[in-house]
């Protein structure tokens, strides 16, 4: 079953397991306990980064995006070597690019 992680207007559509992996990486580095609990509670479905900003404050959404930008690729590269890691690195790079675009738009709009 697939899941969707929305960062701004961009949708990262991956398997539920891949999205759960990314959410675990984010939760491992996020400092807001309630947001961490919510991230860890997702199984599959639609996840909107902006919802975390509305629920817990915009700084939480910004922190999630920053974690994606700085922690997702290293976590993917730390996976055991093989085809699964190659796939994880490739899709992690897609997610990082989405986060980079969101951050760029937020900075231009004076929101970051």
């Amino acid at each position: 079953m697939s899941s969707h992680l929305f960062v701004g207007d961009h949708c990262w559509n991956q398997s539920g397991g891949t999205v759960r992996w990314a959410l675990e990486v984010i939760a491992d580095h996020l400092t807001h306990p309630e947001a961490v609990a919510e991230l860890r509670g997702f199984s599959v479905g639609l996840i909107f980064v902006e919802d975390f900003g509305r629920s817990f404050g915009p700084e939480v959404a910004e922190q999630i995006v920053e974690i994606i930008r700085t922690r997702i690729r290293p976590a993917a590269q730390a996976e055991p070597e093989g085809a699964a890691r190659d796939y994880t690195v490739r899709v992690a790079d897609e997610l990082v690019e989405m986060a980079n675009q969101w951050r760029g738009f937020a900075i231009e709009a004076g929101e970051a």
Side-chain angles (χ1 to χ4, degrees):
M1 176 173 263
S2 70
S3 293
H4 308 278
L5 175 58
F6 290 88
V7 181
D9 294 333
H10 304 281
C11 176
W12 191 59
N13 180 11
Q14 299 298 326
S15 70
T18 301
V19 172
R20 278 192 304 277
W21 168 84
L23 295 178
E24 283 296 321
V25 172
I26 295 166
D28 286 346
H29 299 284
L30 192 61
T31 60
H32 193 285
E34 291 86 5
V36 168
E38 190 165 323
L39 280 173
R40 292 194 193 283
F42 279 107
S43 56
V44 294
L46 306 176
I47 299 100
F48 294 87
V49 170
E50 285 76 8
D51 286 349
F52 287 89
R54 283 190 282 280
S55 296
F56 305 112
E59 62 280 348
V60 172
E62 186 170 332
Q63 186 181 19
I64 290 171
V65 170
E66 190 61 21
I67 291 167
I68 293 169
R69 292 179 68 239
T70 61
R71 304 293 184 145
I72 290 289
R73 190 169 211 282
Q77 290 174 317
E79 293 291 312
E81 288 192 34
R85 182 181 80 174
D86 294 344
Y87 169 79
T88 304
V89 169
R90 183 176 58 77
V91 297
D93 285 343
E94 293 172 7
L95 182 57
V96 170
E97 180 57 31
M98 287 172 45
N100 285 336
Q101 291 176 10
W102 180 89
R103 183 143 174 91
F105 293 140
I107 290 169
E108 288 177 11
E111 297 172 11

